[in-house]
Amino acid sequence: VRNMARKRAAKNGATILDDDQQILKKAWGLGDCNNKFVIMIVSKEGELVYYHKGEFSKEDEIEFYKAIEPYR
């Protein structure tokens, strides 16, 4: 998964971070993230603009696109 993320980031210029030592999870109180898909979008100003953990439904997808629209 890490290798895939690195390739994708190199291709599209995004920054993808891996919290394998669970530093962010503990500091931000994210709870159980093991074996879960977690998306966090942070603005250049450092504001958390989107957070999702777990299965990604169609409703979640719509919410995601609304959250990132100002940054496109």
Side-chain angles (χ1 to χ4, degrees), residues 5-65:
R6 283 187 204 109
K7 286 179 183 178
R8 175 74 52 100
K11 185 176 182 181
N12 65 20
T15 300
I16 299 175
L17 304 172
D18 171 11
D19 190 24
D20 60 338
Q21 296 180 358
Q22 301 181 0
I23 295 167
L24 186 63
K25 176 193 140 186
K26 292 173 186 172
W28 285 15
L30 299 177
D32 181 14
C33 294
N34 290 337
N35 300 316
K36 293 187 176 139
F37 186 69
V38 179
I39 299 175
M40 298 173 73
I41 307 291
V42 180
S43 71
K44 289 181 180 181
E45 296 77 30
E47 176 188 1
L48 180 64
V49 296
Y50 183 80
Y51 170 74
H52 181 82
K53 176 170 62 173
E55 295 294 322
F56 205 67
S57 69
K58 188 64 176 173
E59 287 178 4
D60 296 326
E61 182 180 347
I62 292 167
E63 184 181 324
F64 170 78
Y65 282 115

